[in-house]
Amino acid sequence: ISTTTTTTVTLPEECTNYKELTDGSRLIGSDSGNGTSCDAIGDGVNQSPDWEGYQYWYRIVGAAGTQVAVITGATADLQCGGYYANGWPSDESLPSSPGENKFVTHWYTYVTSSGIAWLSHGGRGINATNCDGFYVFKFPEIKSGDCPDRYCTQN
């Protein structure tokens, strides 16, 4: 006689209530976007076409890939359509269990006279939730004065 036990995980609300990031110029190494797109809303901002505001959870789909970019080194290829690129630090894993949420301090890149540098964004961070087959992300606000600043993605 064998017994099968089934465990049902109740996923959090953000797994069904999210916006989608679909713009392919967000991908690491993308040359499109001309470095002017910004994940902010405001006067004079060249708002990313798929950005609706920092208050929402986002699923990364289609041409944009499947997840927020994992930052493994400083490279100009990580500009992803904005002058400043933002991503997930490489020493942090994404949540592994369905329904699990994780908060990490995110990283951003900027151009210096000696090349590209990555810095921590202090206490600001990215939330990620494992939705049993895909991830959703909640990003901190980018102020219009920080543009062009944008979240990068990868497959």
Side-chain angles (χ1 to χ4, degrees):
I1 298 176
S2 70
T3 305
T4 303
T5 303
T6 304
T7 304
T8 303
V9 175
T10 302
L11 297 173
E13 179 185 352
E14 61 261 26
C15 290
T16 56
N17 186 16
Y18 55 82
K19 305 291 184 181
E20 292 184 342
L21 295 180
T22 59
D23 184 10
S25 70
R26 291 182 176 281
L27 279 173
I28 289 174
S30 171
D31 290 332
S32 54
N34 299 320
T36 61
S37 294
C38 191
D39 289 339
I41 298 172
D43 292 337
V45 171
N46 184 20
Q47 182 180 332
S48 300
D50 54 359
W51 186 253
E52 297 186 49
Y54 71 94
Q55 67 272 31
Y56 300 108
W57 285 89
Y58 288 92
R59 180 177 179 183
I60 298 166
V61 298
T66 59
Q67 70 178 60
V68 68
V70 176
I71 306 310
T72 56
T75 170
D77 290 340
L78 294 174
Q79 295 304 305
C80 70
Y83 186 77
Y84 300 102
N86 289 261
W88 189 270
S90 61
D91 60 344
E92 293 282 350
S93 60
L94 288 167
S96 58
S97 301
E100 180 184 356
N101 177 274
K102 188 170 188 178
F103 175 87
V104 298
T105 299
H106 79 287
W107 291 70
Y108 70 101
T109 183
Y110 65 100
V111 180
T112 69
S113 59
S114 58
I116 307 295
W118 285 99
L119 286 179
S120 167
H121 236 319
R124 293 170 52 185
I126 298 172
N127 271 295
T129 298
N130 181 326
C131 293
D132 199 15
F134 65 94
Y135 294 98
V136 292
F137 301 91
K138 190 163 190 185
F139 302 104
E141 179 180 16
I142 293 174
K143 307 258 187 222
S144 60
D146 292 335
C147 289
D149 204 346
R150 171 174 226 220
Y151 294 102
C152 298
T153 60
Q154 69 183 45
N155 286 309

